[in-house]
Amino acid sequence: MSNNNNKQDENADNIEQWKIKKLIQSLEEARGNGTSMISLIIPPKDQISRISKMLSDEYGTASNIKNRVNRLSVLGAITSTQQKLKLYNKVPPNGLVIYCGTVQTDEGKEKKVNYDFEPFKPINTSLYLCDNKFHTEALTELLESDEKFGFIVMDGNGTLFGTLSGNTRDILHKFTVDLPKKHGRGGQSALRFARLRNEKRHNYVRKVAELAVQFFISSDKVNVNGLVLAGLADFKTELLGSDMFDGRLKKEVIEVIDVSYGGESGFNQAIDKAQAALQNVKFVQEKKLLTKYFEEISQETGKYCYGVKETMTGLELGCIEILIVWESLKHMRVVLRNSEGVETTKYLLPEQMNDETHFREKGTGETLEIEDSVPLIEWLAENYSKFGSTLEIVTDRSQEGSQFCQGFGGIGGLLRYVVELDVDYDYDDEVDEDEYYNSDEYDYDDFM
């Protein structure tokens, strides 16, 4: 049960990160006139009252702006920010981020933009800026430093336990040990000294294994994204191979590194040597997931689906265990309604959104009213859990990821059980799936 909870927490974090990435992208593209775009970041434990007073002072200052249009835009943005702030009695545990302002659309029109949210992890930046753009640097740093890795630096003189998150290095604990050295005494004493030496080594390894559980397992689950074992002797490999080393931690070991020093110097050296492995952790996890997906297809187990309509049908049936979606899926989910109030849901690509035939009822030719229109991936990120599924958002940067996007439309799933997904494809509603992908062009064995 704890492993399932751990997976669900990690899955939720990944989705929150994706949402922040999409928000950053839209915020960075936004531009306004003058200094009418406000970026406000409030760290945890700050006071709402202090920020409210600051905004009141800023309002008074902005009232003196000579340019009438710019003055009204800035005052409007400050007022919107003040209204957002009134929704909070205190700063949330992870801080508060607010973006308000008037931006220019592609059609040259003005549009008001207001965002307020609590980040998925504590943000320790304090920021207030009025500019012709939104400032997202702090959010970008938040994403970069999200993953935390554990380090055990172990040699014959002692052990250090530490973590690395982004560019923040923390030493959790360190201790020294006095182990007997090998010597050349002969006779009966040699066996006794060897036995004592092995006994102390064994106790040392056991202590390190016990402390590893104390520092890297919380609430019965591993609290780091990966574990690095480092040292200048054989202790690190002895620890990894020992039955005393918790099996949950063994699964998280991503690198075993030889370093020239122990203690903090060895910790720093281990961080430098492990950079490539640390960067590839999510990459490897993604490759494993997609390799499993391709295995199901190559073995024709029937426990898979691909393409928008087949996947959405499986989702509605509740048979998709793991929903896999490309982070840049282009489909829109459009809900249309006719004059009798009957709703229809279509999944359209950007070029189809400009084709009026998709917004007319067949037979009658009646123009349908757009009830709702949202990127499909955003809708899935908000609703996947209602169907009993977990959502995995993947990139196209690996060979497997590229294959999934180009060959299978960037959306699919692993099923709980075999089910016949009889999809009646309506090619007036959606691009011919064979134009979007052709599974016969690919050899799945390339990924096995």
Side-chain angles (χ1 to χ4, degrees), residues 127-372:
L127 175 72
Y128 173 78
L129 281 173
C130 288
D131 204 345
N132 66 342
K133 65 178 183 178
F134 290 123
H135 289 262
T136 60
E137 296 85 358
L139 293 182
T140 303
E141 290 176 7
L142 201 66
L143 289 174
E144 290 175 349
S145 63
D146 180 62
E147 289 189 320
K148 183 169 72 171
F149 299 95
F151 283 76
I152 301 176
V153 183
M154 185 181 186
D155 65 8
N157 297 314
T159 297
L160 178 146
F161 298 88
T163 59
L164 177 70
S165 181
N167 58 3
T168 302
R169 188 204 70 162
D170 290 314
I171 296 174
L172 304 178
H173 180 68
K174 57 182 178 179
F175 69 93
T176 58
V177 65
D178 184 18
L179 297 176
K181 310 294 182 185
K182 288 185 178 180
H183 56 79
R185 295 179 186 175
Q188 294 180 346
S189 61
L191 294 175
R192 181 168 59 86
F193 278 114
R195 187 176 67 253
L196 291 173
R197 180 174 176 274
N198 289 335
E199 186 178 312
K200 287 196 173 185
R201 284 176 66 97
H202 178 82
N203 292 338
Y204 174 42
V205 172
R206 177 166 56 193
K207 181 178 180 179
V208 173
E210 291 172 351
L211 288 173
V213 171
Q214 179 181 325
F215 293 119
F216 299 126
I217 292 183
S218 304
S219 302
D220 204 33
K221 62 183 180 182
V222 179
N223 57 27
V224 290
N225 296 89
L227 197 59
V228 176
L229 305 184
L232 58 90
D234 294 332
F235 284 106
K236 58 186 180 297
T237 52
E238 191 174 330
L239 173 67
L240 183 59
S242 171
D243 293 336
M244 296 179 287
F245 192 44
D246 194 289
R248 293 166 294 180
L249 293 177
K250 280 187 181 182
K251 292 179 182 178
E252 299 299 325
V253 174
I254 57 176
E255 192 86 343
V256 180
I257 296 174
D258 288 315
V259 292
S260 305
Y261 315 97
E264 291 189 46
S265 298
F267 186 18
N268 292 333
Q269 191 177 18
I271 290 173
D272 291 337
K273 286 192 171 186
Q275 284 304 310
L278 302 186
Q279 291 172 2
N280 286 330
V281 169
K282 279 193 174 180
F283 187 74
V284 170
Q285 290 173 346
E286 180 179 299
K287 285 169 69 75
K288 284 182 179 178
L289 171 65
L290 291 175
T291 296
K292 180 181 178 183
Y293 178 75
F294 291 135
E295 283 177 352
E296 296 289 336
I297 296 174
S298 66
Q299 294 169 13
E300 298 183 353
T301 63
K303 295 173 65 176
Y304 59 87
C305 61
Y306 53 80
V308 173
K309 284 203 169 182
E310 193 171 285
T311 303
M312 295 308 295
T313 299
L315 198 65
E316 290 166 7
L317 292 174
C319 63
I320 295 183
E321 182 174 9
I322 301 176
L323 176 63
I324 309 171
V325 184
W326 178 34
E327 65 176 1
S328 299
L329 187 73
K330 300 186 185 303
H331 286 78
M332 298 291 291
R333 181 182 185 271
V334 184
V335 180
L336 303 172
R337 186 173 61 185
N338 66 13
S339 57
E340 297 178 356
V342 178
E343 292 186 349
T344 305
T345 301
K346 296 188 178 184
Y347 307 102
L348 304 176
L349 290 166
E351 57 267 28
Q352 293 175 294
M353 294 293 291
N354 298 321
D355 186 348
E356 292 183 1
T357 60
H358 295 295
F359 301 91
R360 292 199 187 112
E361 191 165 40
K362 289 181 181 177
T364 66
E366 176 192 351
T367 299
L368 301 172
E369 181 182 347
I370 299 177
E371 186 74 13
D372 187 36

Side-chain angles (χ1 to χ4, degrees), residues 4-20:
N4 289 337
N5 291 337
N6 190 13
K7 180 65 177 176
Q8 289 171 1
D9 290 344
E10 182 181 336
N11 183 251
D13 286 345
N14 289 337
I15 292 169
E16 286 302 314
Q17 290 177 49
W18 174 83
K19 289 179 181 178
I20 293 291

Side-chain angles (χ1 to χ4, degrees), residues 40 42 46-61 78 82 85 128:
L40 176 63
I42 309 171
D46 205 337
Q47 300 296 317
I48 293 290
S49 57
R50 187 188 74 81
I51 304 299
S52 296
K53 183 179 184 306
M54 178 197 72
L55 290 174
S56 297
D57 293 341
E58 287 292 326
Y59 190 94
T61 303
I78 294 175
Q82 289 174 321
L85 204 60
Y128 173 78

